[in-house]
Amino acid sequence: MGSEVPPVYIGLKGIYVAKTSLSYIDGERGKLIYRGYSIEDLAEHSTFEEITYLLWFGKLPNKRELSEFKENLASEREIPDEVISIISKLPRNAHPMDILKTGVASLGPFDPDLPSIWGQHIHEKRAENLKIAMRILSKMPTIMAYFYRMKENKDIVHPRKDLNHAANFLYMMWGREPNDLEAKLMDVALILHADHGFNASTFACLVTASTLSDLYSAIVSGISALKGPLHGGANEQALRMLMEIGSPDNAREYVKGKLERKERIMGFGHRVYKAYDPRARILKKYAEMLAKETKQEKLFNTALEVEKVMIELLGRKGIFPNVDFYSGQVYHMLGIPTEIFTPIFAISRASGWIGHVLEYWEQNVLIRPRALYIGPMEAKYIPIENRI
Ligand code: ACO
């Protein structure tokens, strides 16, 4: 090693490692756009299928393109019987993210197109990769809904082709069609979580894809990274915390106690946003609406109080609610069990993961950084019998 010590970017904070046209975050002003379109506009006017088309193909689809895309996605929802059987044998108390990971990993060997494109040129086979992409995206909700029904000792509910992605997921989970508000809220949640620059799970997907591994393997890497509480797992934890606080009156003492013990308040802070997360702002509006409709104002008011105290104490450091703070509440008010929150995030983010892999593969470069070695240089090997 030379005498000059290279800079080390632990956690890659603020480091640009690729170029992308998929999404842009303005962390200072709290703005998010997908290919130029504001997240506010997309949440209000678009659908999950449409924004997925936007992320994968680079433009909003016309009527014919959208209806073909939706049809193709809807026809790929069922999963092979062998994968259903694998899911049915997994422990019911396993974390659903582990089920999702196993489910997606199990789909790979059954894909009819994978063997023919496997090899050094896999990244150049866009048409085949798009077919695989649609299968993964369409089947992820089915894996989750089937496992949930099995866990509840209920018969699985097969997917329907006439419902959109969001409504079909709720239908498979509940065994009944969601009403318009429920379906819209799920769709909005999927739109909001679909992409977010080079977050940890997207980066994990790209590390795997950059070796010219396949899309299934890349998505399994993304699911694995998203499981952690510093990333996708925060929405579960944020809701559990609100339940523990119980009422707005307890919020101040609870938050102060946690901060004094140097513990983190889940659902707050973000590596990029140093202002209010725009996705949290959109979901907060829906959370308020749902709270009134489902008579769960106490939960929403507790959240408001936690937010108020946190901004008072940490706002100057750029700590504000992130999307996970309000998504957990919205899912809970919709009647979705807590352990399914992070899988819903994954079901949505798969759209962005795939979009980024397809984009990165257009000019693939192996991702292989270095670590600065700080260990000893010339240790002498000691036979085991001489070691203390
Ligand atoms: N609660 C209390 N303090 C916090 C929080 C929080 N949620 N987040 C950051 N801080 C404090 C840190 O203690 C640190 O304080 P210090 O400067 O006195 O040491 C300072 O703010 C900066 O925090 P870092 O961890 O260095 O910031 P980083 O950008 O690495 O962290 C992260 C971002 C990991 C998301 C962090 O804010 C966190 O742990 N939040 C809670 C988990 C969470 O909600 N994750 C979801 C993220 S959004 C998503 O994945 C969809």
Side-chain angles (χ1 to χ4, degrees):
M1 199 189 321
S3 57
E4 207 169 302
V5 181
V8 178
Y9 303 100
I10 292 175
L12 294 178
K13 276 191 185 191
I15 300 297
Y16 290 83
V17 295
K19 294 180 180 174
T20 181
S21 305
L22 266 74
S23 61
Y24 172 71
I25 308 162
D26 181 339
E28 298 304 319
R29 285 187 293 174
K31 298 254 171 259
L32 170 64
I33 57 173
Y34 293 169
R35 292 197 185 271
Y37 299 96
S38 83
I39 197 66
E40 289 80 7
D41 263 1
L42 295 173
E44 194 172 339
H45 305 295
S46 191
T47 61
F48 180 67
E49 284 89 337
E50 189 176 68
I51 62 102
T52 296
Y53 188 99
L54 174 69
L55 292 172
W56 293 3
F57 295 91
K59 67 172 194 93
L60 284 173
N62 62 30
K63 264 193 188 160
R64 183 187 50 76
E65 289 164 335
L66 182 61
S67 102
E68 243 176 57
F69 187 62
K70 284 175 76 170
E71 226 171 89
N72 288 337
L73 279 174
S75 68
E76 290 289 357
R77 285 179 181 152
E78 195 51 272
I79 57 177
D81 287 344
E82 292 88 341
V83 176
I84 300 180
S85 165
I86 291 169
I87 296 170
S88 73
K89 294 190 177 77
L90 297 171
R92 299 286 193 262
N93 63 352
H95 194 291
M97 284 297 270
D98 291 334
I99 306 295
L100 196 58
K101 187 169 61 184
T102 310
V104 174
S106 314
L107 287 174
F110 292 99
D111 193 291
D113 287 306
L114 198 50
S116 65
I117 61 165
W118 172 244
Q120 275 187 35
H121 296 282
I122 191 167
H123 60 307
E124 293 162 5
K125 313 279 182 190
R126 184 168 161 95
E128 290 84 349
N129 280 315
L130 273 168
K131 277 204 256 170
I132 294 174
M134 285 202 238
R135 288 187 192 120
I136 297 175
L137 194 77
S138 294
K139 294 180 196 313
M140 282 173 69
T142 314
I143 294 169
M144 212 57 269
Y146 283 5
F147 176 71
Y148 171 67
R149 302 277 305 179
M150 290 172 190
K151 189 174 171 164
E152 296 283 295
N153 289 319
K154 292 179 180 156
D155 290 337
I156 58 173
V157 175
H158 291 278
R160 269 178 41 190
K161 286 186 186 168
D162 59 318
L163 297 173
N164 72 16
H165 198 73
N168 176 62
F169 173 58
L170 293 176
Y171 167 71
M172 290 190 295
M173 291 269 295
W174 295 342
R176 70 159 174 91
E177 247 185 78
N179 66 32
D180 288 349
L181 178 65
E182 291 164 341
K184 171 70 185 165
L185 266 176
M186 182 49 60
D187 200 34
V188 167
L190 294 184
I191 292 171
L192 296 181
H193 288 86
D195 197 39
H196 211 234
F198 260 41
N199 51 84
S201 57
T202 300
F203 189 56
C205 290
L206 289 174
V207 170
T208 300
S210 81
T211 69
L212 300 185
S213 183
D214 62 282
L215 261 180
Y216 288 96
S217 308
I219 301 309
V220 168
S221 304
I223 297 170
S224 307
L226 190 67
K227 182 184 172 192
L230 293 189
H231 193 5
N235 56 11
E236 278 181 56
Q237 311 249 7
L239 180 77
R240 288 189 211 282
M241 175 188 76
L242 290 176
M243 303 292 225
E244 203 181 314
I245 297 174
S247 114
D249 301 340
N250 305 333
R252 182 168 293 274
E253 204 182 323
Y254 181 95
V255 170
K256 282 180 98 173
K258 275 220 159 213
L259 294 182
E260 271 159 28
R261 293 191 299 278
K262 302 258 175 256
E263 287 171 18
R264 296 205 167 195
I265 305 291
M266 290 295 150
F268 284 82
H270 196 275
R271 177 61 67 81
V272 184
Y273 291 120
K274 299 304 164 202
Y276 209 109
D277 181 337
R279 304 164 300 170
R281 204 183 291 285
I282 295 169
L283 283 177
K284 183 178 176 182
K285 190 181 79 186
Y286 282 110
E288 186 171 14
M289 228 156 85
L290 259 185
K292 280 202 185 104
E293 190 152 316
T294 58
K295 310 226 172 326
Q296 299 189 66
E297 279 110 332
K298 198 166 166 193
L299 180 70
F300 180 71
N301 290 334
T302 305
L304 281 186
E305 194 57 28
V306 171
E307 174 180 323
K308 189 176 139 199
V309 176
M310 276 297 278
I311 293 179
E312 196 182 300
L313 299 176
L314 291 183
R316 70 193 147 79
K317 269 197 190 174
I319 310 281
F320 292 92
N322 60 50
V323 66
D324 283 335
F325 189 58
Y326 284 105
S327 65
Q329 282 173 69
V330 166
Y331 299 147
H332 175 76
M333 292 188 228
L334 275 176
I336 294 171
T338 314
E339 74 266 19
I340 308 288
F341 294 179
T342 316
I344 295 177
F345 192 162
I347 284 167
S348 160
R349 185 56 58 86
S351 167
W353 289 335
I354 291 166
H356 278 284
V357 171
L358 295 176
E359 181 187 53
Y360 192 80
W361 269 348
E362 282 170 21
Q363 290 175 3
N364 191 71
V365 177
L366 175 72
I367 297 174
R368 202 295 188 195
R370 298 185 66 174
L372 185 71
Y373 179 70
I374 54 163
M377 290 308 270
E378 290 179 15
K380 192 165 162 27
Y381 186 78
I382 307 165
I384 196 160
E385 56 276 13
N386 296 349
R387 291 176 213 158
I388 42 169

